[in-house]
């Protein structure tokens, strides 16, 4: 099964996104913030997809995105922001930092699925 | 109060006669859920009372009649719905039109049953993103729907956050939309490509320009065979010879119309009008600008 990671400081959101990705055929690893994600990534196989919240303690999603995109081993990993940030400047900032897609909360399974389909990563 | 069998039959006949949409008895829950808000809006205390008002003037031109008919149409849509039709548009259909009509330089696309306009604006974004040579063509994206409210929404090009979340690639969001409060407004260079009008596919059709491409997706499924045949016959007349028809993934012309050839391309398909041989390619040499895929989606 394809591997994915969900990074969000809300345990409820982590659980919901993990369930959605699970239904789409992914095995999901979860992390509470950017630093936790980097630590877990160093100990696991490279995921195909990472969903990233923006506002988190310790290391936020934008900082994680910049850091991960500076690491060549994650060049091909699809990274999608899933966040409450809804200003166009934030969307642009994330895209410029290397996000492949951007979802504004609240989301549904259909929204996640439709975005992943656009990226060629629909149901696995 | 539950809908009586008598009232359901009356409503089903009204909807069939005015929109050609077929409501089978198992759809009573759908009728109730969609007509309860209409009943409240017209001051009726129940659907029974709403039906009484409709019985007094059972035409689509009455206020109650138009509201009932609109409520029973399905407006499910989102940007780049099903993705593949837009891949075909980009990789095959538009290049063929450009090759064929280089001298004429007109492109007519019809988004039939356009709902709130996401399909039409997805088409417009494909054109803007990938076919800059069309900037000096007369491009018309004709949008029609039975619902005046949907036609108005298409014309305005304003979408909620939920709507822009659905299927719209983020790079296109930042490029073609501006935020207006909690909503998102599509920019004028896209709305200017779109023409809107109210039209009942099952009724008399107004004069339409000859279309190069028709999007008629997830519409025929609501009609009976006779209505499907009638609509496809008229679509074939509206299309230029060799023009393309895109249906929904679960729809087909098979056993409905012999006027189309099914063309398989990649993992998807479209229908080509048999209206005659393709007109010869225009002598004008058209050069396509090389397309460099953005990081992320193909749009």
């Amino acid at each position: 099964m394809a591997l994915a990671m969900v990074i969000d400081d809300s345990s409820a959101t982590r659980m919901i996104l993990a369930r959605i990705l699970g239904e789409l055929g992914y095995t999901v690893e979860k992390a509470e913030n950017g630093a936790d994600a980097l630590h877990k990534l160093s100990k696991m196989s490279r995921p195909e997809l990472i969903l990233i919240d923006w506002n988190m303690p310790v290391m936020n999603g934008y900082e994680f995105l910049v850091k991960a995109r500076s690491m060549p081993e994650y060049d091909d990993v699809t990274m999608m922001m899933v966040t409450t940030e809804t200003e166009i400047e934030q969307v642009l900032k994330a895209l410029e930092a290397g996000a492949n897609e951007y979802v504004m909360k609240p989301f549904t399974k259909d929204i996640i699925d439709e975005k992943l389909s656009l990226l060629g990563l629909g149901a696995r | 109060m539950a809908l009586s069998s008598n009232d359901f039959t009356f409503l089903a006949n009204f909807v069939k006669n005015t929109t050609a949409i077929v409501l089978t008895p198992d759809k009573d829950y759908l009728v109730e859920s969609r007509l309860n808000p209409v009943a409240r809006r017209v001051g009726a205390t129940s659907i029974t009372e709403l039906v009484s008002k409709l019985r007094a003037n059972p035409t689509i031109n009455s206020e109650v009649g138009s509201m009932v008919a609109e409520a029973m149409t399905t407006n499910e849509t989102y940007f780049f719905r099903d993705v593949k039709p837009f891949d075909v548009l980009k990789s095959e259909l538009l290049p063929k039109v450009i090759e064929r009509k280089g001298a004429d330089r007109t492109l007519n696309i019809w988004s039939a049953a356009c709902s709130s306009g996401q399909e039409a604006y997805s088409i417009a974004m494909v054109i803007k993103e990938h076919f800059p040579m069309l900037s000096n063509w007369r491009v018309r994206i004709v949008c029609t729907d039975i619902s005046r409210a949907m036609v108005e929404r298409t014309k305005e090009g304003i979408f909620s956050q939920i709507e822009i979340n659905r299927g719209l690639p983020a790079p296109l969001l930042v490029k073609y939309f501006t935020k207006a409060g909690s909503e998102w407004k599509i920019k004028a260079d896209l709305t200017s490509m779109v023409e809107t009008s109210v039209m009942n596919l099952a009724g008399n059709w107004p004069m339409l320009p000859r279309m190069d491409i028709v999007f008629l997706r997830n519409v025929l499924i609501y009609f009976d065979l006779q209505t499907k045949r009638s609509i496809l016959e008229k679509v074939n007349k509206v299309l230029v010879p060799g023009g393309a028809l895109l249906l929904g993934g679960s729809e087909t012309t098979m056993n409905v119309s012999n006027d189309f050839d099914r063309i398989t391309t990649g993992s998807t398909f479209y229908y080509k009008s048999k209206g005659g041989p393709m007109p010869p390619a225009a002598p004008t040499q058209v050069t396509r600008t090389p397309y460099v895929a953005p990081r992320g989606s193909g749009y």
Side-chain angles (χ1 to χ4, degrees):
Chain A
M1 285 176 88
L3 189 58
M5 174 177 268
V6 171
I7 313 173
D8 200 301
D9 60 331
S10 157
S11 60
T13 305
R14 285 198 302 275
M15 189 179 68
I16 292 166
L17 284 171
R19 192 182 70 225
I20 289 171
L21 292 180
E23 288 170 3
L24 295 174
Y26 286 91
T27 300
V28 183
E29 181 67 42
K30 291 174 270 190
E32 295 179 13
N33 57 62
D36 184 31
L38 288 171
H39 176 70
K40 286 178 173 162
L41 283 169
S42 70
K43 297 178 180 304
M44 60 184 271
S45 300
R46 192 179 59 158
E48 184 175 284
L49 168 70
I50 305 179
L51 305 188
I52 312 161
D53 185 22
W54 193 302
N55 298 303
M56 295 180 288
V58 186
M59 177 188 275
N60 70 35
Y62 178 75
E63 292 165 340
F64 167 83
L65 182 63
V66 171
K67 179 71 178 169
R69 283 299 185 213
S70 73
M71 302 161 78
E73 60 266 43
Y74 300 118
D75 269 358
D76 295 336
V77 176
T78 298
M79 301 197 191
M80 184 160 85
M81 302 301 290
V82 183
T83 169
T84 53
E85 294 291 335
T86 61
E87 294 306 314
I88 207 156
E89 293 77 12
Q90 302 294 85
V91 182
L92 192 56
K93 189 175 172 182
L95 292 174
E96 286 174 349
N100 300 89
E101 260 303 337
Y102 197 103
V103 170
M104 297 172 194
K105 292 177 181 173
F107 55 84
T108 62
K109 182 187 175 188
D110 283 345
I111 286 171
I112 299 293
D113 193 14
E114 286 153 14
K115 287 280 190 177
L116 293 181
S117 292
L118 280 173
L119 297 165
L121 296 176
R124 313 311 289 160
Chain B
M1 184 166 47
L3 195 57
S4 72
S5 164
N6 192 23
D7 282 350
F8 178 85
T9 302
F10 172 78
L11 283 167
N13 286 336
F14 171 78
V15 172
K16 173 75 169 62
N17 292 336
T18 53
T19 69
I21 293 170
V22 177
L23 294 172
T24 48
D26 61 313
K27 294 286 193 299
D28 57 346
Y29 73 93
L30 183 72
V31 173
E32 287 187 42
S33 67
R34 292 199 178 172
L35 292 190
N36 272 320
V38 175
R40 285 194 293 273
R41 275 160 58 200
V42 302
T45 55
S46 65
I47 295 181
T48 303
E49 194 178 326
L50 176 71
V51 172
S52 296
K53 286 176 183 278
L54 185 60
R55 284 181 194 273
N57 189 3
T59 72
I60 197 169
N61 297 321
S62 68
E63 183 191 4
V64 173
S66 65
M67 289 168 79
V68 168
E70 283 195 25
M72 293 317 303
T73 59
T74 296
N75 295 311
E76 163 72 1
T77 184
Y78 52 92
F79 290 101
F80 295 96
R81 183 177 184 181
D82 302 334
V83 183
K84 287 177 182 172
F86 301 95
D87 288 339
V88 175
L89 181 71
K90 181 174 71 174
S91 65
E92 187 161 334
L93 301 182
L94 285 174
K96 280 184 175 170
V97 173
I98 290 168
E99 187 182 320
R100 204 169 68 227
K101 298 179 76 179
D104 184 38
R105 294 199 300 184
T106 62
L107 167 64
N108 295 328
I109 301 177
W110 181 17
S111 173
C114 64
S115 190
S116 39
Q118 283 90 328
E119 179 179 78
Y121 288 119
S122 300
I123 295 166
M125 284 185 271
V126 169
I127 291 171
K128 281 283 184 191
E129 284 293 294
H130 304 294
F131 298 92
M133 73 289 284
L134 292 176
S135 62
N136 61 356
W137 283 40
R138 184 172 188 217
V139 176
R140 301 170 73 182
I141 303 173
V142 177
C143 305
T144 66
D145 199 278
I146 192 171
S147 163
R148 185 168 297 282
M150 287 296 116
V151 166
E152 286 301 316
R153 284 211 52 203
T154 298
K155 193 174 177 180
E156 287 174 358
I158 296 174
F159 300 94
S160 69
Q161 184 173 299
I162 294 280
E163 287 168 329
I164 61 97
N165 245 344
R166 296 198 62 191
L168 179 64
L172 299 187
L173 172 70
V174 297
K175 191 167 180 180
Y176 293 112
F177 290 75
T178 54
K179 197 169 182 200
S182 62
E183 296 183 311
W184 298 77
K185 171 96 175 86
I186 200 153
K187 289 183 178 173
D189 53 344
L190 292 191
T191 53
S192 65
M193 295 167 71
V194 161
E195 300 173 20
T196 56
S197 62
V198 175
M199 175 179 164
N200 182 355
L201 285 167
N204 294 322
W205 289 20
M207 185 68 81
L208 291 165
R210 292 300 294 274
M211 297 294 172
D212 299 294
I213 301 165
V214 173
F215 282 73
L216 181 70
R217 302 192 303 140
N218 307 301
V219 180
L220 294 180
I221 46 174
Y222 298 106
F223 299 136
D224 63 18
L225 183 60
Q226 186 184 347
T227 309
K228 288 177 188 173
R229 282 194 173 133
S230 167
I231 289 172
L232 286 181
E233 186 181 333
K234 289 194 268 190
V235 166
N236 189 48
K237 287 178 181 163
V238 163
L239 275 168
V240 298
L245 166 66
L246 293 113
L247 298 177
S250 63
E251 296 168 321
T252 178
T253 63
M254 194 185 299
N255 300 324
V256 183
S257 168
N258 293 319
D259 292 332
F260 299 89
D261 286 322
R262 179 177 154 130
I263 308 293
T264 300
T265 174
S267 60
T268 189
F269 58 87
Y270 65 95
Y271 295 90
K272 188 165 117 179
S273 166
K274 290 180 185 172
M278 298 276 271
T284 311
Q285 184 67 41
V286 176
T287 308
R288 288 193 62 190
T289 303
Y291 166 60
V292 180
R295 182 185 188 99
S297 77
Y299 298 99

